[in-house]
C-alpha cells in the first residue's frame, strides 16, 4: 500500500488541493516552516507572519478533519531549515515511500523538485528507500511526484495551447477567451453591457474629501500571536513593521475580507482603481490577492461573488468587470506567461538597465512625496496598490534604468501578496518593459503630470509637477524625457510612441539639453544599494551612483494588486 508524504506549501492552503485528494490511509501531510524560505529574499515580516499563521491554522483544520499531519515549526531542534531536505527527512522518519507535492509557485522550487525526481529515477531502489532509516551519509534518493495545481481557471498547458502560433500574447485576447470559456459576465453569448472592457470608465482621479471604507481587522488568537512573536525575534531585521498586521490567516477571516469588499468597496472600486491617495493605503481596493494566493479563497468563488453583485444591482458593471478582469484575466495571464516562458524569462533585460536599487526604497528617505508615501505604506502594511507599484515606484525604476533583478527581488520581498509567478511578469514585463514588449505594446512610463492628475501627493511635495527644470522641478519630468532620448533606438518606431517622439522632436534644442542635464544631475546624485541584501540595514547604506541617476489616455494598468 502506498504511503506518501504530502508536502503542502505555504501558498497551497486549500482542502481542495490536488495532492490532498483521495489520501491513502497511511499518508502523512507535512507543512514546514524553514529559515530558507523566509530569507532567500528578505521577505517583509508581515508576509512571513501571514504565511506561518495561515499554515498553522490550516494544519489544525486538517488534523481536526482526521488527517495525519506533521508540522515542522521554525524552532524545532531537528528542523533542517531547508524545505526539500526537511520534507525528505520527514518522509524517512515516517517510512514513506514517496513525496507528493502540487506545482509550487516558483520556478526555483519546481526546478529543485524536478532535479530530485530525476535523481530518484536514476537511483536503484534499496531497503532504505522502502522506509527503513538509512545510516548517516548513506541515504538514497526518495521518489518525488509533482501533481498539477488546478485551483486556477487554467493550467500552464491551457495557456500554452492558447499561445501556440500567436505572434503576441495580449491580455485582452486571453481575457476574452476566458470570459467565453467560463461564462462570467456573458449574456446570450455576448459580453454583458455590450462590450468586453469598461476600462475607460475606471480612470477617475480622487475628488477632495472623499471618505474611504476602513478595512476589517481580524482577531489575533494565540496561534497568530505566537507567530508574530516568533517572526519579530527571527526576522526583525527585515524591512517592514509588524505593528499594523491584520492579514486574514484563516478561511473565515478571508471570507470576511471578501464580504467587506463586496459591500463597502466594489461599487466605487472601478472609478477610482487608478487613483492615488497620500493618506489612504487601500482606497477601494480589495486586499484579496494575498488570501487568493495562499489558497484561502478560490478565484472562481471571488469572481462569481462579484458577478452576483452586478446581477443584483448592487455594483455597477464597470466596477465588476474591472475587478473580474484582474482575477480572471490578469492573474491567469501572468501565471500562464510565467510557466511557459521560464526560466529564460527571468533573464530578460531588453532595455539594458544596469542601475542598482535606489537606497531610499529601503528607507523612504526621499523628498519625492509620491515615492515616500508608497514606500512608507509598503513598510507599514506590506501592501501598495497596483498604481503605486506600476506608476510610482515602478515608473521611477524604469526611468532611472534600475536593473530587473534588483526591482524584482525588492517587489518579491516587500509585498504580502508577492509570489514569483505573479510578481515576476508584472515587474519585469509590465513595469520595466524588460521582456521586449511580450506583455505590453509600450512601456508604462509617465511624467509628474500623470501622478498629479491621479492623486493628491503633489500638493504636499517640495517638487512642482508643472516645472521641468530647476531646483523645484519634479524629477519625474526630466527623467521621462531622458528615458525617451536614451531608448529612441528601441522605442522610436513603436506606433504607440509616435506622438510622444513627435513632441520630443519638436522641442527646442536648448530645452532638450536642459532636460538632459537636469536628469543627468539627478541620476549622478541618486544613492543606490550596490547589491541585493537583507533587510533594514540597507536603509542606512549610502552609495552615490555616478553611472549612466505620460502615460497617454489609452493606457491602463490592468495589473492585479500582486506584483
Amino acid at each position: 500500500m502506498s504511503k506518501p508524504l504530502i508536502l503542502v506549501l505555504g501558498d497551497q492552503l486549500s482542502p481542495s488541493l490536488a495532492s490532498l485528494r483521495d489520501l491513502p490511509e497511511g499518508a502523512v501531510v507535512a507543512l514546514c516552516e524553514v529559515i530558507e524560505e523566509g530569507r532567500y529574499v528578505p521577505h517583509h515580516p508581515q508576509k512571513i507572519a501571514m504565511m506561518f499563521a495561515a499554515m498553522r491554522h490550516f494544519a489544525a483544520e486538517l488534523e481536526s478533519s482526521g488527517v495525519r499531519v506533521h508540522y515542522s515549526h521554525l524552532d524545532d531542534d531537528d528542523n533542517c531549515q531547508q524545505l526539500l531536505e526537511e520534507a525528505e527527512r520527514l518522509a524517512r522518519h515516517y517510512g514513506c515511500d514517496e513525496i507528493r507535492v502540487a506545482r509550487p509557485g516558483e520556478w526555483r522550487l519546481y526546478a529543485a523538485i524536478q532535479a530530485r525526481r530525476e535523481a530518484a529515477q536514476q537511483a536503484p531502489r534499496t531497503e532504505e528507500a522502502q522506509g527503513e532509516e538509512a545510516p548517516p551519509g548513506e541515504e538514497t534518493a526518495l521518489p518525488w511526484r509533482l501533481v498539477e495545481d488546478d485551483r486556477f481557471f487554467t493550467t500552464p498547458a491551457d495557456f500554452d495551447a492558447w499561445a501556440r502560433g500567436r505572434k503576441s500574447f495580449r491580455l485582452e485576447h486571453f481575457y476574452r477567451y476566458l470570459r467565453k470559456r467560463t461564462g462570467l459576465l456573458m449574456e446570450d453569448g455576448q459580453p454583458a453591457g455590450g462590450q468586453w472592457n469598461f476600462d475607460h470608465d475606471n480612470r477617475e482621479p480622487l475628488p477632495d474629501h472623499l471618505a474611504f471604507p476602513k478595512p476589517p481587522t481580524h482577531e489575533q488568537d494565540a496561534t497568530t500571536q505566537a507567530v508574530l512573536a516568533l517572526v519579530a525575534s527571527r526576522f526583525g531585521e527585515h524591512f517592514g513593521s509588524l505593528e499594523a498586521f491584520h492579514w486574514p490567516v484563516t478561511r473565515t477571516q478571508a471570507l470576511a475580507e471578501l464580504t467587506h469588499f463586496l459591500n463597502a468597496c466594489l461599487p466605487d472600486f472601478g472609478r477610482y482603481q487608478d487613483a492615488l491617495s497620500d493618506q489612504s493605503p487601500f482606497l477601494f481596493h480589495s486586499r484579496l490577492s494575498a488570501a487568493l494566493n495562499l489558497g484561502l479563497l478560490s478565484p472562481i468563488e471571488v469572481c462569481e461573488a462579484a458577478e452576483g453583485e452586478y446581477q443584483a444591482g448592487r455594483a455597477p458593471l464597470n466596477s465588476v468587470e474591472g475587478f473580474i478582469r484582474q482575477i480572471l484575466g490578469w492573474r491567469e495571464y501572468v501565471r500562464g506567461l510565467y510557466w511557459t516562458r521560464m526560466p529564460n524569462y527571468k533573464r530578460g533585460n531588453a532595455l539594458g538597465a544596469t542601475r542598482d536599487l535606489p537606497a531610499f526604497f529601503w528607507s523612504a528617505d526621499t523628498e519625492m512625496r509620491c515615492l515616500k508615501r508608497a514606500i512608507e505604506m509598503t513598510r507599514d502594511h506590506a501592501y501598495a496598490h497596483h498604481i503605486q507599484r506600476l506608476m510610482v515606484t515602478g515608473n521611477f525604476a524604469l526611468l532611472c534604468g534600475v536593473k530587473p533583478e534588483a526591482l524584482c527581488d525588492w517587489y518579491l520581498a516587500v509585498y504580502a501578496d508577492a509570489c514569483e509567478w505573479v510578481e515576476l511578469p508584472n515587474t519585469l514585463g509590465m513595469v520595466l518593459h524588460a521582456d521586449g514588449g511580450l506583455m505590453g505594446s509600450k512601456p508604462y512610463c509617465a511624467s509628474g503630470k500623470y501622478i498629479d492628475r491621479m492623486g493628491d501627493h503633489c500638493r504636499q511635495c517640495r517638487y512642482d509637477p508643472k516645472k521641468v527644470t530647476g531646483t523645484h522641478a519634479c524629477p519625474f519630468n526630466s527623467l521621462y524625457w531622458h528615458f525617451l532620448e536614451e531608448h529612441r533606438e528601441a522605442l522610436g518606431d513603436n506606433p504607440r510612441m509616435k506622438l510622444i517622439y513627435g513632441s520630443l522632436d519638436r522641442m527646442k534644442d536648448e530645452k532638450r539639453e536642459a532636460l538632459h542635464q537636469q536628469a543627468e544631475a539627478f541620476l549622478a546624485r541618486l544613492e543606490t544599494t550596490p547589491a541585493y541584501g537583507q533587510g533594514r540595514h540597507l536603509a542606512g547604506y549610502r552609495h552615490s551612483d555616478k553611472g549612466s541617476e505620460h502615460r497617454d489616455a489609452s493606457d491602463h494598468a490592468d495589473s492585479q494588486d500582486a506584483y
Side-chain angles (χ1 to χ4, degrees):
M1 179 183 295
S2 172
K3 184 180 181 181
L5 182 91
I6 312 297
L7 177 62
V8 175
L9 306 178
D11 58 353
Q12 298 179 345
L13 309 182
S14 310
S16 63
L17 188 70
S19 58
L20 291 175
R21 296 179 203 148
D22 303 320
L23 291 178
E25 186 175 337
V28 179
V29 174
L31 293 94
C32 307
E33 299 172 359
V34 294
I35 288 289
E36 174 193 39
E37 294 302 300
R39 289 190 174 155
Y40 70 91
V41 295
H43 294 290
H44 196 296
Q46 287 194 33
K47 181 180 184 180
I48 300 171
M50 175 189 71
M51 187 166 287
F52 283 3
M55 288 168 61
R56 293 187 183 191
H57 283 99
F58 185 68
E61 291 169 12
L62 288 178
E63 284 188 310
S64 68
S65 67
V67 175
R68 187 181 186 186
V69 176
H70 180 101
Y71 194 94
S72 293
H73 292 82
L74 194 73
D75 287 339
D76 288 346
D77 291 338
D78 52 2
N79 190 327
C80 292
Q81 301 301 345
Q82 293 181 302
L83 183 60
L84 303 190
E85 287 80 355
E86 178 68 1
E88 290 174 340
R89 180 185 74 83
L90 296 177
R92 291 189 172 94
H93 174 77
Y94 286 103
C96 297
D97 52 17
E98 74 168 8
I99 302 172
R100 196 177 302 171
V101 62
R103 179 192 292 267
E106 295 197 6
W107 180 269
R108 65 181 181 89
L109 275 180
Y110 180 82
I113 292 169
Q114 290 284 34
R116 279 170 159 75
R117 288 182 66 199
E118 293 172 6
Q121 289 168 358
Q122 295 170 5
R125 298 300 303 273
T126 66
E127 290 185 1
E128 288 79 18
Q130 301 292 338
E132 297 294 329
E133 194 161 325
E138 296 183 17
E139 294 175 344
T140 56
L142 279 163
W144 283 76
R145 183 192 299 182
L146 267 167
V147 298
E148 189 56 74
D149 187 350
D150 58 7
R151 297 172 300 156
F152 297 80
F153 286 103
T154 59
T155 65
D158 293 332
F159 185 88
D160 187 56
W162 171 83
R164 198 171 298 131
R166 293 176 181 267
K167 293 181 179 180
S168 62
F169 304 157
R170 293 290 178 253
L171 164 68
E172 187 66 25
H173 302 153
F174 187 63
Y175 171 56
R176 293 183 186 189
Y177 160 72
L178 289 185
R179 285 274 295 276
K180 294 174 184 176
R181 175 170 154 172
T182 62
L184 285 164
L185 292 180
M186 298 294 291
E187 298 171 353
D188 298 324
Q190 298 298 316
Q195 61 190 69
W196 294 101
N197 187 315
F198 289 83
D199 202 26
H200 189 310
D201 301 323
N202 293 348
R203 298 174 184 158
E204 292 188 28
L206 292 180
D208 291 335
H209 312 300
L210 181 66
F212 303 107
K214 185 178 179 180
T217 57
H218 302 291
E219 179 183 357
Q220 295 174 358
D221 62 11
T223 297
T224 301
Q225 289 176 14
V227 166
L228 289 170
L230 171 72
V231 171
S233 66
R234 300 298 297 274
F235 302 97
E237 78 279 8
H238 288 194
F239 168 86
S241 168
L242 281 168
E243 185 176 346
F245 181 89
H246 275 292
W247 291 101
V249 295
T250 66
R251 175 159 171 80
T252 298
Q253 292 177 351
L255 288 170
E257 289 273 355
L258 175 58
T259 299
H260 166 78
F261 172 69
L262 296 173
N263 294 340
C265 302
L266 182 58
D268 288 309
F269 165 77
R271 72 175 77 176
Y272 299 125
Q273 71 176 16
D274 280 10
L276 294 162
S277 169
D278 194 76
Q279 296 303 313
S280 175
F282 306 113
L283 289 83
F284 296 97
H285 292 277
S286 73
R287 299 201 323 163
L288 295 176
S289 51
L292 278 164
N293 292 349
L294 288 177
L296 301 178
L297 296 172
S298 74
I300 184 63
E301 73 178 324
V302 170
C303 288
E304 288 180 343
E307 182 185 45
E309 294 299 297
Y310 162 67
Q311 292 170 340
R314 293 188 292 266
L317 182 55
N318 67 297
S319 285
V320 174
E321 186 278 318
F323 177 71
I324 286 178
R325 181 161 18 99
Q326 289 191 350
I327 308 299
L328 176 67
W330 197 258
R331 187 171 187 264
E332 297 290 323
Y333 171 74
V334 296
R335 184 172 182 265
L337 195 68
Y338 177 84
W339 283 112
T340 55
R341 306 297 288 191
M342 285 292 281
N344 290 335
Y345 190 81
K346 193 169 185 175
R347 294 190 278 269
N349 190 2
L351 296 180
T354 59
R355 195 177 304 278
D356 290 319
L357 191 76
F360 68 74
F361 273 50
W362 295 112
S363 66
D365 184 16
T366 174
E367 293 183 296
M368 299 176 71
R369 182 73 182 185
C370 57
L371 282 159
K372 181 180 183 67
R373 291 300 292 137
I375 294 165
E376 287 175 342
M377 291 175 186
T378 299
R379 176 197 65 203
D380 295 342
H381 302 286
Y383 176 89
H385 65 74
H386 69 275
I387 291 297
Q388 289 175 304
R389 303 187 203 192
L390 178 63
M391 300 308 299
V392 181
T393 54
N395 183 30
F396 183 80
L398 171 68
L399 298 182
C400 292
V402 173
K403 54 192 177 185
E405 63 267 30
L407 190 67
C408 287
D409 279 353
W410 187 77
Y411 279 134
L412 183 60
V414 302
Y415 291 118
D417 56 13
C419 300
E420 192 182 68
W421 62 263
V422 70
E423 172 275 323
L424 179 65
N426 270 302
T427 307
L428 189 143
M430 189 76 167
V431 172
L432 296 178
H433 203 67
D435 63 1
L438 183 68
M439 285 180 64
S441 58
K442 66 180 285 290
Y444 278 87
C445 54
S447 69
K449 292 180 181 178
Y450 171 81
I451 295 169
D452 186 33
R453 182 168 70 250
M454 297 309 298
D456 55 359
H457 294 302
C458 299
R459 302 174 195 176
Q460 303 179 59
C461 186
R462 72 166 288 251
Y463 296 111
D464 187 344
K466 297 180 176 63
K467 294 182 178 180
V468 296
T469 58
T471 57
H472 293 287
C474 175
F476 274 111
N477 292 335
S478 60
L479 291 172
Y480 173 68
W481 294 107
H482 182 270
F483 172 82
L484 293 173
E485 289 269 28
E486 290 288 298
H487 298 290
R488 179 186 285 272
E489 184 176 347
L491 303 174
D493 292 332
N494 186 316
R496 297 190 65 201
M497 304 287 286
K498 288 285 188 183
L499 285 176
I500 197 63
Y501 273 106
S503 297
L504 180 61
D505 291 339
R506 289 189 297 272
M507 198 178 289
K508 292 182 178 180
D509 290 345
E510 55 268 28
K511 183 176 181 180
R512 288 171 62 175
E513 179 61 23
L515 285 167
H516 180 80
Q517 293 298 329
Q518 179 96 3
E520 285 288 319
F522 179 86
L523 292 170
R525 296 190 304 270
L526 184 63
E527 296 168 344
T528 62
T529 59
Y532 191 78
Q534 288 189 354
R536 223 173 254 161
H537 69 277
L538 283 177
Y541 184 86
R542 292 295 178 263
H543 167 69
S544 181
D545 188 336
K546 301 298 184 182
S548 52
E549 198 183 275
H550 178 153
R551 186 177 177 223
D552 67 44
S554 65
D555 289 338
H556 173 65
D558 290 309
S559 45
Q560 175 189 339
D561 293 349
Y563 291 164

